Amino acid sequence: MRHLLSTRDLLREDAIGLLDIAEDMSEVQNREVKKLPTLRGKTVVNLFFEDSTRTRTSFEVAAKRLSADVINFSAKGSSVSKGESLKDTAQTLAAMGADGVVIRHSASGAPQVLAQSGWIDAGVVNAGDGTHEHPTQALLDAFTMRRRIHGDAARGRDLDGVSVMIVGDVLHSRVARSNLWLLETLGAHVTFVAPATLVPVGASTWPVDIRYDLDVALAEVRPDVVMMLRIQQERMNAAFFPTTREYARQWGLDDERLLALRPDSIVMHPGPMNRGLEISSRAADSAQSTVIEQVANGVSIRMAVLYSLLSGDREARS
């Protein structure tokens, strides 16, 4: 694998292979010394043009646990704030000998431009681009589901027949899109539940069941997994719902809806959470919640991705 830009491009066997490698990486995290020498001498650049805590830190920890050298690049306070283009930034990193670039950008498609431009000969990982995709988040979500559902027998397994309900701001969510493509590849059935104003144009052509009433959807589908999405107010330039109180009442996972779920249902959230808006504190902190597991599993998945991209001879794979 040379780049990871989208889950839509992943074949079933490649996706399962990454999840299985992540199983190996998760075992490393249980050791006293949580390090492997695999990427010693390699340089990974975290190129973040948007604010991030979880994703950037997770990639940094993942690279360091594989013994790579890590450079954290933030657009704020850099030459980008002075008008430097993505091309000039990429060529600067290439001159410094970057082997891998983890990029988050507000413009959809920026990682693909970087990967295909020829500006830099490095593996490119999409850490979130606009409202397009966030592939490592989808991989860690699938990894978390697989572990919860299959337990110790998870290795080599897919998610065939698993029912996943994704609720909330689908319109602005790159997580929802990446999860849809990956879960569909792994055999799961996906349902979107959202206000009509927060459903993307053209979503009716996607391999997903779209619903607008959360209570009816929960009662009829009885999902194995309920994934709540954050309301991305920073991306909203219009009123997509009357008030936050109205949204919480109609589409939030409150205590009453939590109790209505099957006892073995899984509650997920990609974070950061708006407690009391899309999810109640009781739901977020319940035994059914995987929020903390998702953070831990994110390191394992990102170790697996960096290992797959950067270990071995890049020339032989290019």
Side-chain angles (χ1 to χ4, degrees):
M1 188 168 69
R2 181 161 175 81
H3 308 293
L4 179 62
L5 306 175
S6 166
T7 57
R8 200 169 191 172
D9 304 330
L10 279 178
L11 298 175
R12 188 185 187 95
E13 55 268 28
D14 293 337
I16 293 174
L18 278 172
L19 298 180
D20 288 346
I21 294 172
E23 290 284 355
D24 296 329
M25 297 302 176
S26 69
E27 293 175 5
V28 174
Q29 301 200 64
N30 295 324
R31 300 178 186 174
E32 186 175 349
V33 179
K34 300 177 176 64
K35 273 217 167 190
L36 293 173
T38 315
L39 298 184
R40 185 177 295 154
K42 302 284 188 181
T43 301
V44 175
V45 179
N46 287 331
L47 184 60
F48 278 65
F49 292 86
E50 283 188 325
D51 294 338
S52 172
T53 302
R54 288 167 181 76
T55 303
R56 188 190 65 196
T57 304
S58 183
F59 270 110
E60 182 177 359
V61 171
K64 287 181 174 179
R65 287 188 179 169
L66 291 171
S67 301
D69 297 317
V70 181
I71 300 173
N72 288 317
F73 178 100
S74 176
K76 291 180 179 178
S78 72
S79 296
V80 173
S81 62
K82 301 177 182 177
E84 184 174 76
S85 68
L86 178 61
K87 178 180 179 179
D88 292 329
T89 301
Q91 290 177 332
T92 298
L93 298 177
M96 294 178 181
D99 298 290
V101 176
V102 178
I103 178 171
R104 169 169 285 191
H105 204 285
S106 59
S108 298
Q112 187 164 355
V113 169
L114 185 61
Q116 297 177 352
S117 62
W119 299 332
I120 186 170
D121 181 28
V124 176
V125 181
N126 180 2
D129 59 330
T131 59
H132 178 229
E133 284 219 38
H134 192 351
T136 58
Q137 180 67 46
L139 284 164
L140 75 88
D141 289 340
F143 182 79
T144 303
M145 292 178 207
R146 196 176 76 154
R147 277 196 147 187
R148 274 282 182 119
I149 293 168
H150 298 303
D152 293 336
R155 193 181 297 271
R157 302 288 293 272
D158 56 22
L159 295 173
D160 195 38
V162 175
S163 174
V164 182
M165 184 173 290
I166 300 177
V167 184
D169 185 2
V170 178
L171 178 63
H172 302 101
S173 178
R174 50 198 175 205
V175 173
R177 289 165 172 80
S178 282
N179 264 295
L180 171 60
W181 305 126
L182 180 62
L183 292 171
E184 196 253 343
T185 297
L186 293 174
H189 178 269
V190 182
T191 303
F192 284 165
V193 182
T197 53
L198 290 176
V199 175
V201 174
S204 59
T205 64
W206 298 351
V208 63
D209 181 21
I210 300 174
R211 297 184 176 232
Y212 305 101
D213 189 307
L214 179 56
D215 291 314
V216 172
L218 288 173
E220 292 182 354
V221 177
R222 304 286 288 168
D224 299 298
V225 181
V226 178
M227 182 183 298
M228 307 307 295
L229 300 174
R230 181 175 66 87
I231 294 298
Q232 300 189 38
Q233 297 186 29
E234 74 277 9
R235 299 185 192 277
M236 294 183 179
N237 54 11
F240 290 91
F241 46 85
T243 64
T244 54
R245 180 180 294 181
E246 177 74 5
Y247 180 90
R249 189 173 69 83
Q250 295 282 355
W251 294 282
L253 185 62
D254 57 19
D255 295 351
E256 186 176 343
R257 291 187 176 113
L258 175 67
L259 293 172
L261 295 178
R262 288 169 22 207
D264 61 342
S265 290
I266 302 168
V267 174
M268 306 185 76
H269 195 299
M273 295 182 289
N274 293 310
R275 289 177 183 252
L277 179 52
E278 66 256 6
I279 189 169
S280 69
S281 288
R282 182 174 178 180
D285 298 331
S286 69
Q288 291 168 268
S289 172
T290 64
V291 172
I292 301 302
E293 289 172 51
Q294 287 170 265
V295 175
N297 291 340
V299 176
S300 300
I301 279 290
R302 285 157 183 144
M303 288 175 71
V305 169
L306 292 174
Y307 170 83
S308 298
L309 259 65
L310 303 180
S311 65
D313 185 358
R314 287 189 57 80
E315 292 298 323
R317 291 180 285 135
S318 60

